[in-house]
Amino acid sequence: MKTEAALNRPRLPPAYRLVALDRVGSSNDEAKRLAEGGAEDGTLVWVREQLKGRGRQGRTWASPPGNLYLSLILRPDCAPAEAAQLGFVAALGLGGGVGSVVPPLVEVRYKWPNDVLFNGRKGAGLLLESRMDPSGGVDWLVLGLGVNVTSFPEDASFPATSLRFEGTPPDLTEVDLLEAFARHFLTWVNRWREDGFAPIRETWLRHAHGLGEAIEVRLPGETLSGGFRDLDDSGALLLELADGRIRPIAAGDVYYEA
Ligand code: BTN
């Protein structure tokens, strides 16, 4: 039986500085404010509830208490083009973390660009926001992560789920997930720093959802159909069009044929 303190006070590796808040508009906005004020690499804003949670492409992210909402400030020493790779690093951190705390009945897969699926339905999403420094490098990057632990939206464009819905024990909390993610993210980000994107890309692809299948990619002014062939070195999705040409997609929404 867990004590109240264990439930409420996440134990994180010393590489992190925890900022724990009950309720904010968006943890990403809070983290961006802290980053602008000079907060250091590893500052992790964890909130129990968001009133204006944000998803990618201007969507809202339903954020009632019970799920995990965090925004991690990173100051990677890399070019902006490489910073997008950290979304894949974070997805592996979450996948590893989930694998370490939930029974094997939940299959974890990665959906391009930065979603994590539990048994084929969306259970987590990432929102990366960054600012460049005057010399063209990355000043800060905020990695926002939302994980559906106890609830999920019924009306999402891609079918959603939560760990609880997939059958994980009721005493598994967002704090357990936060601690597990923090540990596994550290392992993967150190791997990325030492060995670059190649091992990240390889592991992500091994557990990718829909690789080799027919997909539809919705871009701001256009929708493309083709085959999901690969990821390139920057993390762009390589789409094979009907005429055999390969088109790299840097950002967009992916849908799969039913
Ligand atoms: C997506 O799949 O569209 C990305 C969702 C990202 C949600 C997280 S929750 C914590 C952080 N704060 C936000 O406002 N958004 C991200």
Side-chain angles (χ1 to χ4, degrees), residues 26-28 50 52-56 59 61 69-71 115 122 125-127 144-146:
S26 155
S27 61
N28 261 39
Q50 297 186 117
K52 287 189 178 161
R54 295 189 285 110
R56 285 194 304 274
R59 288 184 285 256
W61 185 262
Y69 315 107
L70 70 88
S71 297
D115 292 343
K122 178 162 171 168
L126 283 148
L127 175 66
L145 171 65

Side-chain angles (χ1 to χ4, degrees), residues 39-256:
E40 56 188 320
D41 178 87
T43 304
L44 190 151
V45 179
W46 167 54
V47 307
R48 289 191 176 273
E49 181 182 6
Q50 297 186 117
L51 302 175
K52 287 189 178 161
R54 295 189 285 110
R56 285 194 304 274
Q57 317 274 3
R59 288 184 285 256
T60 56
W61 185 262
S63 306
N67 293 335
L68 176 61
Y69 315 107
L70 70 88
S71 297
L72 177 60
I73 298 173
L74 298 170
R75 296 188 182 273
D77 186 14
C78 70
E82 289 165 348
Q85 297 171 356
L86 284 162
F88 297 87
V89 173
L92 295 190
L94 179 64
V98 168
S100 73
V101 292
V102 308
L105 59 96
V106 178
E107 187 203 31
V108 175
R109 293 221 160 245
Y110 306 114
K111 175 176 178 279
W112 190 88
N114 294 143
D115 292 343
V116 180
L117 308 183
F118 304 144
N119 294 335
R121 293 164 155 255
K122 178 162 171 168
L126 283 148
L127 175 66
L128 271 62
E129 300 184 276
S130 59
R131 184 186 185 83
M132 292 208 294
D133 61 30
S135 64
V138 178
D139 181 6
W140 52 256
L141 180 135
V142 167
L143 202 158
L145 171 65
V147 185
N148 299 334
V149 181
T150 55
S151 65
F152 62 92
E154 305 279 351
D155 56 353
S157 59
F158 189 86
T161 190
S162 67
L163 287 171
R164 182 73 50 84
F165 187 78
E166 298 303 327
T168 60
D171 64 348
L172 181 87
T173 69
E174 74 274 33
V175 175
D176 299 316
L177 260 300
L178 167 56
E179 291 175 346
F181 166 76
R183 284 194 308 274
H184 286 261
F185 178 77
L186 260 195
T187 305
W188 281 110
V189 82
N190 286 335
R191 186 84 198 272
W192 177 75
R193 282 189 191 116
E194 281 159 26
D195 301 327
F197 188 51
I200 309 301
R201 174 178 166 276
E202 195 187 303
T203 308
W204 190 95
L205 281 169
R206 215 177 315 125
H207 302 277
H209 178 73
L211 185 65
E213 290 177 18
I215 59 171
E216 191 178 273
V217 182
R218 296 186 197 159
L219 306 173
E222 130 188 78
T223 297
L224 299 167
S225 296
F228 175 10
R229 289 291 162 256
D230 207 344
L231 278 189
D232 74 8
D233 291 343
S234 68
L237 180 150
L238 297 181
L239 183 73
E240 184 177 351
L241 303 172
D243 61 9
R245 279 181 305 133
I246 298 287
R247 175 149 169 193
I249 311 286
D253 280 327
V254 169
Y255 293 86
Y256 300 82

